[in-house]
């Protein structure tokens, strides 16, 4: 009995270690690399030998990286705000008001998210040019919404459907308008779902590369992922891995912090829609 | 004054009509109870009055004004839901204050009204709690409090006690009755529990598949049900229905043949019946008992149920039907004994083949 239990425990922890290493090692190695430079980058080491932040300084000195971060923040925050606002209002209509074609509409919204990004790229490009949003942040915000809105609407609709109908009716009897029902009754109950979808939307917008690359022209309008990809070294043949890694670490940290802050809510949100308390 | 008048109210969900033309007038300060089996449209009718469902056809008048198109708030109603429907993220105080706040009532007025209602309902120590920190009975009181503070013209209750345990249900029933007499408001109350209906109502409306079967005072329904459905629905245990054939009928009584060879002259106005008509003879279990003579049915006791203050005998009759007999105290008989069940003529109801009752001559 006992050896078997021990074996099971060892197997379990081995699996945990493998998963953790698989998930964390790339990021750890990025941190390591970000503190090294020159040919030292090409030797494999597993432990940091000294802390050298020159790459971090270089990232900000050699290109408008602070500006790029600001752009990313503006785009991601706007995308989250607009997605959640449209998501919640759409969820009320799709989850609470019965009208003809509701199911079809919901399916269509889901279908939009099935197109690969490349497929909509050229059409989106035309659209953004026509609207005069080329090479501007509003253009990126608009483009990113196509990625975030479908799942935001879908998840929030599912969540809102689960809220008891009597709650809404009690509010109506109390004299609330639909807008007040959403704002004062539903929103406070939807925190977990809002945090989850908001965070996913933030991550999607923060990491988005293809639109950001295609719809911007100048360094000042670029977001972080594109800026990192376009970091160049002293010569054409040298990729400045140290700088790239430093930049990557800088932009990943906010995400890690956000997820850690909200992790409890996220888990609650991911399950709350499916399983009723 | 808050009269509620329903004129030929109909409701269809899609193509299926669930309420088939209800006419009803609810007087000011009256306590009206809708009863009926599950799915008969009680809640739907209440929600039509509340304004939570659109009326498909007909007119709804509250206080003499047609309110078909008005919102629940503008109708001046308040509703208490079966599931309580308290706002989970608001305290008891906030739950009760919500409607007043939306109506832009001044802070002082809100405070005094909420505290007033809390006092009536003994909720004062609980005002800062969240609904999840309350027991079922307390939640129900908050739901009632939320209705009271708005001082509506009409209170609507949809099975408010059905989630409570038996003891609490009795207590809350008494509180609701007291509330009605204190507030002097018009109340409409939906239940499938006939004890609640009998005890609370000034007027009971018996519904069946979206139709009103009978409207009347509780005892009127008990003593003079208009048809088989009402007779079977009001009273517990259910009224016994005996298949019988008319031997002779006139305005002063109906003579019918009983299973097992006996006969009885039921004290009902039988002007519309003729000899050889098939009828159902209805007698409540509490009016039956052992006895002898012509007006009896012989049978065999199949079960005995002792309830303490009374007992029930289930008697198999010669036509293979079951009769329920109820009498007070402990049962003096045992299972599988034979018995002769006597029927008092003045306690009889007679229902014609179409289910309608003959008028009873006795009270
Ligand atoms: N929103 C709805 N859509 C379709 N049918 C409904 C709806 N609400 C109620 N019904 C139907 O109306 C009938 C009466 O329901 P209800 O009023 O809830 O009955 P109860 O007397 O048990 O309260 C039922 O047959 C039910 O299926
Ligand atoms: Mg109901």
């Amino acid at each position: 009995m006992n050896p078997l239990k021990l074996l099971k425990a060892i197997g379990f922890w081995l699996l945990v270690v493998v998963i953790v290493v698989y998930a964390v090692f790339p990021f750890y190695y990025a941190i390591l690399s970000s503190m090294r430079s020159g040919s030292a980058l090409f030797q494999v080491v597993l432990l940091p030998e000294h802390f050298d932040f020159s790459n971090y300084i270089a990232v900000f000195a050699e290109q408008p990286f602070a500006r790029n971060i600001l752009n990313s923040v503006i785009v991601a925050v706007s995308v989250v705000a607009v997605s959640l606002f449209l998501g919640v209002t759409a969820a009320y209509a799709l989850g609470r008001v019965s009208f003809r074609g509701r199911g079809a509409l919901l399916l269509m919204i889901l279908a939009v998210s099935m197109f690969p990004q490349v497929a909509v790229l050229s059409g989106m490009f035309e659209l953004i040019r026509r609207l005069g949003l080329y090479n501007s942040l509003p253009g990126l915000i608009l483009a990113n919404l196509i990625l975030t809105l479908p799942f935001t609407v879908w998840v929030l609709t599912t969540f809102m459907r689960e809220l008891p109908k009597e709650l809404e009716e009690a509010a109506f009897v109390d004299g609330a308008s639909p807008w007040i029902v959403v704002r004062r009754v539903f929103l406070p109950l939807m925190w977990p779902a809002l945090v989850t979808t908001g965070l996913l939307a933030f991550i999607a917008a923060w990491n988005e590369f293809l639109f950001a690359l295609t719809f911007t022209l100048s360094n000042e309008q670029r977001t972080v992922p594109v800026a990192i990809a376009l970091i160049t070294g002293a010569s054409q043949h040298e990729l400045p891995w140290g700088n790239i890694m430093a930049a990557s670490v800088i932009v990943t940290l906010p995400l890690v912090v956000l997820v850690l802050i909200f992790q409890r809510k996220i888990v609650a949100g991911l399950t709350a829609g499916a399983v009723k308390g | 004054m808050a009269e509620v008048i329903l004129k030929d109210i109909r409701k269809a969900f899609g193509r299926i009509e669930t309420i088939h033309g209800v006419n009803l007038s609810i007087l000011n300060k009256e306590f009206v109870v809708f009863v009926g089996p599950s799915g008969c449209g009680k809640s739907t009718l209440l929600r039509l009055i509340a304004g939570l469902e659109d009326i498909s056809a007909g007119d709804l008048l509250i206080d003499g004004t047609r309110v078909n198109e008005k919102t629940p708030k503008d109708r001046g109603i308040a509703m208490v839901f079966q599931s309580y429907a308290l706002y989970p993220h608001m305290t008891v105080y906030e739950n009760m204050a919500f409607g007043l706040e939306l109506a832009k009532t001044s802070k002082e007025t809100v405070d005094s009204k909420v505290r007033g209602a809390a006092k009536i309902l003994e909720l004062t120590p609980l005002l800062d709690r969240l609904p999840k920190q309350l027991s079922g009975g307390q939640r129900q009181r908050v739901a009632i409090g939320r209705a009271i503070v708005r001082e509506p013209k009409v209170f609507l209750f949809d099975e408010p006690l059905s989630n409570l345990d038996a003891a609490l249900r009795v207590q809350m029933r008494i509180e609701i009755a007291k509330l009605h007499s204190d507030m002097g408001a018009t109340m409409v109350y939906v239940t499938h529990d006939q004890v609640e209906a009998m005890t609370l109502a000034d007027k009971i409306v018996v519904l069946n598949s979206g139709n009103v079967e009978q409207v009347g005072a509780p005892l009127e329904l008990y003593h003079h049900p208009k048809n088989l459905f009402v007779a079977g629905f009001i009273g517990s245990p259910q009224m016994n229905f005996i298949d019988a054939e008319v031997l002779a009928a006139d305005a002063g009584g109906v003579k019918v043949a009983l299973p097992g060879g006996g006969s009885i002259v039921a004290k009902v106005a039988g002007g519309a019946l003729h000899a050889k008509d098939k009828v159902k003879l209805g007698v409540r279990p509490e009016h039956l008992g052992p006895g002898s003579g012509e007006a009896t049915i012989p049978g065999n006791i199949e079960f005995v149920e002792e309830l303490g203050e009374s007992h029930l005998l289930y008697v198999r009759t010669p036509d293979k039907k079951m009769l329920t007999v109820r009498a007070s105290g402990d049962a003096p008989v045992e299972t599988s004994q034979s018995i002769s069940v006597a029927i008092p003529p003045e306690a009889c109801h007679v229902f014609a083949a179409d289910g309608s009752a003959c008028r009873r001559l006795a009270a």
Side-chain angles (χ1 to χ4, degrees):
Chain A
M1 261 339 255
N2 247 359
L4 194 68
K5 253 191 190 163
L6 194 70
L7 219 67
K8 267 189 184 167
I10 290 173
F12 173 73
W13 285 110
L14 219 61
L15 196 66
V16 169
V17 168
V18 168
I19 292 171
V20 168
V21 167
Y22 177 71
V24 174
F25 180 74
F27 188 56
Y28 173 73
Y29 203 74
I31 296 176
L32 273 192
S33 307
S34 72
M35 303 210 210
R36 313 166 83 208
S37 49
S39 56
L41 273 166
F42 298 99
Q43 287 149 22
V44 179
V45 285
L46 290 179
L47 291 172
E49 51 260 21
H50 54 84
F51 294 96
D52 173 9
F53 291 100
S54 59
N55 286 332
Y56 288 84
I57 295 162
V59 167
F60 285 97
E62 287 164 19
Q63 61 255 314
F65 197 62
R67 177 66 203 248
N68 297 143
I69 292 181
L70 183 69
N71 287 347
S72 269
V73 169
I74 292 173
V75 169
V77 168
S78 311
V79 165
V80 169
V82 176
S83 300
L84 289 185
F85 176 76
L86 291 179
V88 166
T89 44
Y92 181 76
L94 291 166
R96 287 316 197 149
V97 184
S98 63
F99 55 89
R100 198 184 293 263
R102 179 165 72 161
L105 198 59
L106 212 55
L107 275 182
M108 207 154 81
I109 288 170
L110 194 66
V112 167
S113 63
M114 291 173 193
F115 288 115
Q117 226 182 325
V118 177
V120 294
L121 197 62
S122 57
M124 203 67 177
F125 186 78
E126 281 305 314
L127 206 65
I128 287 198
R129 275 252 306 252
R130 269 311 142 76
L131 293 174
L133 298 176
Y134 181 66
N135 196 27
S136 73
L137 294 185
L140 287 187
I141 294 169
L142 186 71
N144 278 332
L145 282 176
I146 205 178
L147 301 178
T148 59
L149 264 183
F151 76 78
T152 315
V153 170
W154 185 267
V155 172
L156 293 180
T157 301
T158 317
F159 197 89
M160 206 177 272
R161 259 194 200 157
E162 298 286 318
L163 296 174
K165 188 169 146 222
E166 283 88 4
L167 223 48
E168 184 184 5
E169 291 176 342
F172 280 148
V173 171
D174 267 342
S177 62
W179 174 239
I180 288 186
V181 171
V182 169
R183 205 166 54 85
R184 307 242 347 235
V185 179
F186 285 170
L187 272 190
L189 300 175
M190 289 179 68
W191 268 117
L194 290 177
V195 168
T196 311
T197 47
L199 206 58
L200 290 176
F202 188 90
I203 293 171
W206 186 261
N207 288 336
E208 201 287 321
F209 177 78
L210 195 54
F211 288 158
L213 177 70
T214 316
F215 302 152
T216 55
L217 194 61
S218 58
N219 242 343
E220 278 66 38
Q221 300 298 323
R222 284 191 182 125
T223 56
V224 166
V226 180
I228 292 176
L230 298 183
I231 288 177
T232 48
S235 79
Q236 257 191 0
H237 304 289
E238 184 200 342
L239 258 187
W241 280 112
N243 290 7
I244 292 177
M245 286 303 140
S248 307
V249 171
I250 292 171
V251 301
T252 313
L253 278 178
L255 290 188
V256 174
V257 171
L258 274 182
V259 171
L260 287 182
I261 291 175
F262 288 118
Q263 67 165 334
R264 277 176 182 283
K265 295 266 185 190
I266 295 176
V267 174
L270 286 176
T271 53
V275 189
K276 252 168 95 174
Chain B
M1 286 291 286
E3 273 182 332
V4 182
I5 296 171
L6 285 73
K7 283 189 189 157
D8 203 28
I9 294 282
R10 286 169 189 276
K11 173 66 188 173
F13 292 106
R15 238 166 289 157
I16 304 161
E17 195 175 83
T18 46
I19 301 288
H20 314 287
V22 168
N23 287 291
L24 191 64
S25 63
I26 297 168
L27 305 179
N28 185 34
K29 300 189 180 177
E30 203 169 26
F31 199 123
V32 172
V33 175
F34 295 170
V35 281
S38 184
C40 68
K42 307 179 292 290
S43 298
T44 306
L45 196 55
L46 195 74
R47 294 162 56 81
L48 289 171
I49 298 176
L52 293 171
E53 302 281 359
D54 293 329
I55 296 170
S56 304
D59 295 314
L60 176 67
L61 290 89
I62 296 181
D63 253 359
T65 328
R66 187 174 182 276
V67 295
N68 283 38
E69 274 78 39
K70 289 198 176 169
T71 62
K73 186 192 69 164
D74 293 338
R75 293 182 188 198
I77 58 102
M79 183 151 167
V80 176
F81 295 84
Q82 178 175 355
S83 58
Y84 318 134
L86 301 179
Y87 312 120
H89 56 292
M90 298 187 197
T91 62
V92 169
Y93 185 98
E94 289 165 341
N95 260 285
M96 292 204 267
F98 187 65
L100 294 174
E101 254 174 54
L102 292 181
K104 304 246 175 342
T105 319
S106 77
K107 272 228 156 56
E108 298 79 54
T109 322
V110 172
D111 197 64
S112 73
K113 284 190 181 175
V114 169
R115 291 192 188 280
K119 204 165 159 202
I120 296 173
L121 295 163
E122 295 169 17
L123 289 170
T124 309
L126 308 175
L127 281 175
D128 293 326
R129 295 219 195 150
L130 287 174
K132 66 175 174 218
Q133 299 164 317
L134 301 178
S135 70
Q138 290 167 337
R139 285 181 206 182
Q140 190 59 75
R141 279 213 282 272
V142 177
I144 293 173
R146 189 168 61 179
I148 291 178
V149 292
R150 296 186 36 234
E151 291 168 9
K153 295 186 210 161
V154 184
F155 281 91
L156 306 174
F157 297 87
D158 192 353
E159 310 214 15
L161 308 185
S162 57
N163 286 347
L164 304 178
D165 61 48
L168 206 51
R169 212 177 304 164
V170 174
Q171 186 196 332
M172 286 300 296
R173 199 170 77 206
I174 293 166
E175 281 184 34
I176 289 178
K178 188 163 164 293
L179 200 67
H180 177 241
S181 66
D182 289 352
M183 303 206 32
T186 309
M187 293 191 173
V188 184
Y189 187 106
V190 164
T191 181
H192 62 264
D193 180 313
Q194 52 159 309
V195 179
E196 275 171 34
M198 295 294 284
T199 51
L200 287 171
D202 295 322
K203 185 155 91 185
I204 294 181
V205 178
V206 182
L207 290 168
N208 182 25
S209 330
N211 290 305
V212 174
E213 294 283 347
Q214 189 172 359
V215 179
L219 286 181
E220 188 190 334
L221 297 197
Y222 177 82
H223 291 302
H224 299 284
K226 262 190 191 163
N227 54 39
L228 266 177
F229 180 84
V230 177
F233 194 79
I234 302 285
S236 170
Q238 209 190 23
M239 184 186 282
N240 294 295
F241 295 114
I242 302 157
D243 291 318
E245 198 181 84
V246 176
L247 298 174
D250 59 39
V254 176
K255 184 170 187 183
V256 299
L258 294 174
S263 68
I264 186 171
V265 181
K267 289 263 171 54
V268 300
L273 294 176
H274 307 285
K276 294 222 158 46
D277 280 356
K278 298 273 182 233
V279 294
K280 280 196 194 305
L281 183 69
V283 201
R284 296 197 182 276
E286 51 271 40
H287 297 144
L288 293 175
S292 59
E294 180 64 14
T296 56
I297 302 176
N300 200 37
I301 299 173
E302 290 217 342
F303 297 128
V304 179
E305 281 181 351
E306 300 276 11
L307 301 174
E309 96 287 358
S310 67
H311 63 268
L312 299 175
L313 307 178
Y314 295 95
V315 178
R316 183 69 69 186
T317 57
D319 58 348
K320 304 285 173 239
K321 296 272 174 58
M322 196 77 101
L323 275 187
T324 314
V325 178
R326 176 180 180 143
S328 61
D330 298 353
V333 290
E334 276 173 24
T335 305
S336 78
Q337 251 179 282
S338 62
I339 186 174
S340 164
V341 180
I343 304 175
E346 65 284 355
C348 287
H349 303 250
V350 174
F351 302 95
D354 64 356
S356 65
C358 299
R359 192 168 54 80
R360 284 177 72 209
L361 300 172

